[in-house]
Amino acid sequence: MSSIIQLLPDHVANQIAAGEVVQRPASVVKELLENAVDAKATDIKLIIKDAGKALVQVIDNGVGMSVTDARLCFERHATSKIRHAEDLFSLHTKGFRGEALASIAAIAHVEMKTKQDQEELGNHIVIEGSKFISQDPAVLPKGTSFAVKNLFYNIPARRNFLKSDTVELRHVIDEFQRVALAHPNIYFTMYHNGSEQFNLPNSNFRQRIVNIFSGKTNEKLVPVQEETDILSLQGFVGKPEFAKKNRGEQFFFVNDRYIKSGYLHHAVMNAYDGLLPNGAQPTYFIYLQVPPNTIDINIHPTKTEIKFDDEHALYAILRSAIKHSLGQFNVVPALDFDRDPNLDTPYEYQNKSADYPTVQVDRTFNPFADEKPSKQFSNNSSYKKSESTQNWESLYVGLKQDTLDAFSFEEEEVTASLFDEKEEEQTIIRTYQIHKKYIVSPIKSGMIIVDQSRAHQRVLYEQFLTNMTLHQASSQQLLFPLQLRFSNNEMKLIAELQLSLENTGFIFEFFETDAIHISGIPINTTESDVSIVLEHLIKELEDGIPESSFSQNDTIAKSMAKSLAVKTGIYLTEKEQENLVNNLFACKEPNVSPFQKPTFITMRVDDIDKRFAL
């Protein structure tokens, strides 16, 4: 019997490994940027084309590589960071992934140029699909230039799974921002299709955050700092009034490495307990420095999750440090025991007796008497009785009847009733609200129970969709324009949706680099709802804007309907209940909400009778 198990060729093994290492162009960006940081570069430039599908190039001024190292770096499990197995638990660099460059070279056209400072000539290597094309000496500047072209050119199935350029660009920017935030001492620049996206000179942590997330970010940051034997903590958290519905600006860095940790995020949320509205997410940029032997960074392939030895201590320290900072900078409301100096008693009054008020009473005063009060009382009191108005009838003497005749009144002629005097008694249909969640209304066969939130979603959804389709949206003008601030990525997304949002009733005056000015909003929308609607819409479109206009309008209509619909727990008057039920059954599809959930159920009288027949 022939053997079943066999070794895979290197190029096939590299392509399989690429499935774990390289998921999208952002994965290549992450690997190349981290390698540039490990090369002790002080200036790193990222150049991409077509969201990284056509080109991902990273140029740095690091130490470079020798001729041997330049060739070995493309071999599987080749690394400069590991010498012994014990080194895996004491990593001071960006982590070990030996098959990274080999996997990238297996699914793309790679061109590398590198030169060490002490060498006169550098090395120029070209690889296509794990196959070495050439390796030649060349005159190059100090550092390394790594260009990855035509990603997944030999794996069409993987390339077809890539999202649109907008989505892939956002993932690339996310990876770029994470590396740039972790290393503010390095000069980073990024270009996409020839246009500059970011220009981040070397600075401190706070300035790097402001440079990435617009200039107004500085106003909402509160510094956090703590030094213990377990860890060193520094960073910034956002003020509660700047909290958003999405979790965009939330970053944890451990030993200059971006991580995701639901446990530490819970500690931050616990520190904000009682300060945030329901569903709001705070902004934070937390930098932790811990001994490398107390963490395990190899529990996840992308190295974004870390296992800590003492998670409970980190949780407590992080929560208390944030609470302390919020209180120290007067962000947390506190009792004010400062007294008003105007209420203090002067010292010269300490031996002075109190003056008691005197009450004077005119015992001879009779309110029913005709005569005026006594002279003595009127002199000793500020009270003066008003003079009686005798002969009040004299005020109307001389009023002639012709004065009244000057005003003519048209008499309305009473016509016959349109209906018979004996009208049929009309049946008044009333609605009732149960637990501020459901609306009950009787019908001929029984009754219907309407979910008020889902029903309102359906009504608003069809209204918005109709307005965007027919371009007949109505707006209510604001007395003062509303200014809202967003990050760079969010501003680009809103700019792409501008036309569709205007069809719903929004009127944009102008766009700034980090803010928008709104002069008109849709009907039945309040100013306080605008920021919630736009933040929820941005969150819904995290995976990209649909290509077709109908899908785009459908997504916007659903998002706005969900944000503006009446919520569970809101009291509705009887008139509001009646209007909601009538508007629901005037919709084209009243049975389900925009998210395909039932809006009402029907209970027949026969079903109720069966319950009582037991």
Side-chain angles (χ1 to χ4, degrees):
M1 183 176 180
S2 60
S3 300
I4 299 177
I5 299 175
Q6 57 184 347
L7 295 176
L8 290 174
D10 288 342
H11 69 280
V12 178
N14 288 337
Q15 289 185 2
I16 295 174
E20 175 187 351
V21 179
V22 185
Q23 300 175 355
R24 53 185 2 129
S27 305
V28 178
V29 172
K30 178 179 184 294
E31 293 293 339
L32 299 184
L33 288 179
E34 290 182 348
N35 287 340
V37 172
D38 286 343
K40 301 179 182 179
T42 59
D43 189 344
I44 300 176
K45 182 184 298 183
L46 173 62
I47 303 172
I48 62 174
K49 291 182 180 180
D50 298 338
K53 299 176 183 177
L55 172 66
V56 174
Q57 185 175 9
V58 174
I59 304 173
D60 67 72
N61 62 347
V63 296
M65 288 182 283
S66 64
V67 178
T68 305
D69 290 343
R71 183 64 180 266
L72 285 177
C73 71
F74 292 100
E75 299 295 332
R76 295 192 65 195
H77 303 297
T79 179
S80 61
K81 307 164 187 176
I82 303 297
R83 292 292 180 269
H84 306 284
E86 292 78 8
D87 295 340
L88 288 171
F89 303 97
S90 183
L91 289 174
H92 297 273
T93 56
K94 290 299 177 183
F96 163 64
R97 183 178 290 152
E99 68 276 8
L101 295 181
S103 301
I104 294 173
I107 55 175
H109 296 164
V110 177
E111 182 179 1
M112 186 182 71
K113 299 177 182 179
T114 182
K115 175 184 174 296
Q116 293 180 325
D117 191 18
Q118 67 274 13
E119 299 291 336
E120 294 183 359
L121 296 176
N123 293 281
H124 181 199
I125 297 178
V126 178
I127 302 177
E128 296 180 0
S130 295
K131 181 180 179 182
F132 274 87
I133 304 300
S134 63
Q135 181 175 2
D136 303 313
V139 178
L140 302 170
K142 174 194 172 184
T144 303
S145 172
F146 211 112
V148 179
K149 305 175 183 178
N150 304 323
L151 192 65
F152 297 123
Y153 80 99
N154 53 355
I155 310 179
R158 289 294 303 274
R159 190 176 181 88
N160 292 336
F161 275 101
L162 295 179
K163 303 294 184 179
S164 63
D165 287 355
T166 304
V167 178
E168 297 299 338
L169 177 61
R170 194 184 73 247
H171 284 287
V172 170
I173 291 177
D174 288 343
E175 294 294 346
F176 175 82
Q177 290 178 350
R178 292 167 183 175
V179 178
L181 286 171
H183 302 278
N185 58 324
I186 300 177
Y187 196 126
F188 284 93
T189 52
M190 176 180 170
Y191 299 88
H192 178 234
N193 291 339
S195 63
E196 184 178 84
Q197 300 289 319
F198 293 95
N199 191 335
L200 310 174
N202 53 344
S203 58
N204 54 26
F205 285 122
R206 190 181 194 115
Q207 191 60 42
R208 176 57 57 88
I209 295 172
V210 172
N211 289 338
I212 293 179
F213 296 100
S214 76
K216 296 299 181 180
T217 307
N218 191 39
E219 300 177 1
K220 61 182 180 181
L221 295 182
V222 176
V224 178
Q225 189 168 4
E226 189 68 39
E227 294 285 342
T228 65
D229 296 336
I230 300 176
L231 62 85
S232 173
L233 186 153
Q234 62 176 328
F236 302 91
V237 295
K239 296 178 182 179
E241 59 265 28
F242 294 98
K244 298 182 178 181
K245 291 293 183 181
N246 57 353
R247 300 177 58 174
E249 300 176 3
Q250 296 180 346
F251 296 87
F252 281 114
F253 299 94
V254 176
N255 295 354
D256 297 334
R257 180 199 309 275
Y258 170 79
I259 68 162
K260 298 177 182 179
S261 175
Y263 190 70
L264 296 182
H265 173 75
H266 189 273
V268 176
M269 296 299 294
N270 200 342
Y272 278 90
D273 188 22
L275 300 178
L276 299 176
N278 188 24
Q281 294 288 332
T283 297
Y284 56 80
F285 305 87
I286 305 297
Y287 299 85
L288 305 174
Q289 292 291 333
V290 298
N293 58 350
T294 63
I295 58 175
D296 185 3
I297 63 173
N298 294 301
I299 63 173
H300 194 273
T302 60
K303 306 296 187 293
T304 56
E305 296 181 11
I306 289 182
K307 177 67 176 177
F308 297 94
D309 283 353
D310 194 351
E311 290 184 338
H312 298 288
L314 266 65
Y315 184 98
I317 294 172
L318 181 60
R319 182 186 61 180
S320 61
I322 295 176
K323 273 184 172 291
H324 175 72
S325 294
L326 293 177
Q328 183 181 7
F329 290 91
N330 296 326
V331 175
V332 178
L335 293 175
D336 186 8
F337 293 101
D338 295 337
R339 61 184 180 183
D340 188 352
N342 295 325
L343 301 178
D344 292 342
T345 304
Y347 285 109
E348 58 267 20
Y349 281 72
Q350 59 182 348
N351 296 323
K352 188 176 180 179
S353 60
D355 294 334
Y356 295 96
T358 58
V359 180
Q360 296 180 354
V361 180
D362 185 5
R363 300 185 182 276
T364 63
F365 173 71
N366 184 2
F368 302 100
D370 294 334
E371 64 274 5
K372 297 181 181 181
S374 63
K375 183 177 181 181
Q376 180 182 0
F377 179 78
S378 61
N379 293 335
N380 296 333
S381 174
S382 60
Y383 173 82
K384 292 184 179 180
K385 187 176 183 297
S386 61
E387 297 182 357
S388 61
T389 57
Q390 299 178 356
N391 301 325
W392 59 271
E393 296 89 347
S394 62
L395 297 174
Y396 297 94
V397 174
L399 183 65
K400 297 181 179 181
Q401 183 66 28
D402 55 355
T403 304
L404 296 175
D405 294 339
F407 300 95
S408 61
F409 300 93
E410 181 181 356
E411 296 182 358
E412 296 182 359
E413 182 179 357
V414 179
T415 59
S417 176
L418 296 177
F419 303 97
D420 295 336
E421 294 182 0
K422 296 182 179 180
E423 297 180 351
E424 295 183 358
E425 184 179 355
Q426 296 181 353
T427 303
I428 301 177
I429 301 178
R430 296 187 178 275
T431 58
Y432 303 92
Q433 189 180 29
I434 301 177
H435 294 295
K436 298 180 181 180
K437 184 177 183 181
Y438 301 108
I439 299 174
V440 178
S441 178
I443 56 177
K444 289 184 178 180
S445 60
M447 65 178 179
I448 60 171
I449 303 176
V450 180
D451 187 309
Q452 64 183 32
S453 179
R454 295 180 182 177
H456 200 202
Q457 287 179 12
R458 165 53 63 178
V459 173
L460 293 177
Y461 168 73
E462 293 198 4
Q463 289 178 358
F464 287 131
L465 203 59
T466 302
N467 293 338
M468 285 188 287
T469 304
L470 303 179
H471 305 283
Q472 296 179 349
S474 300
S475 301
Q476 51 181 339
Q477 296 294 321
L478 299 177
L479 184 60
F480 301 101
L482 184 63
Q483 183 181 18
L484 299 177
R485 298 192 177 275
F486 297 94
S487 64
N488 296 334
N489 294 340
E490 293 170 345
M491 288 294 299
K492 294 177 182 178
L493 189 61
I494 294 176
E496 294 183 27
L497 299 174
Q498 179 179 357
L499 181 60
S500 298
L501 291 174
E502 288 176 346
N503 291 333
T504 64
F506 283 100
I507 299 178
F508 299 95
E509 279 197 346
F510 58 89
F511 282 72
E512 296 180 359
T513 56
D514 60 344
I516 56 176
H517 295 257
I518 301 174
S519 60
I521 58 179
I523 299 296
N524 300 327
T525 304
T526 62
E527 291 187 37
S528 59
D529 292 333
V530 176
S531 60
I532 298 176
V533 169
L534 293 180
E535 288 178 5
H536 190 269
L537 178 61
I538 292 171
K539 184 178 180 181
E540 292 288 330
L541 297 175
E542 284 181 346
D543 293 333
I545 302 175
E547 298 293 340
S548 64
S549 60
F550 175 78
S551 299
Q552 186 178 124
N553 293 341
D554 182 71
T555 303
I556 295 175
K558 286 181 178 179
S559 177
M560 293 183 62
K562 184 177 181 181
S563 301
L564 297 175
V566 61
K567 304 297 187 295
T568 298
I570 301 299
Y571 171 76
L572 300 179
T573 64
E574 187 174 345
K575 188 66 175 178
E576 291 172 337
Q577 299 172 27
E578 182 181 350
N579 289 337
L580 179 58
V581 174
N582 292 337
N583 291 333
L584 172 64
F585 288 98
C587 294
K588 295 180 179 179
E589 296 183 9
N591 297 329
V592 293
S593 71
F595 305 96
Q596 303 304 313
K597 299 290 184 65
T599 56
F600 67 90
I601 60 174
T602 304
M603 293 189 65
R604 298 185 303 171
V605 176
D606 296 340
D607 297 333
I608 300 176
D609 292 340
K610 292 178 182 179
R611 294 293 185 94
F612 286 98
L614 297 177

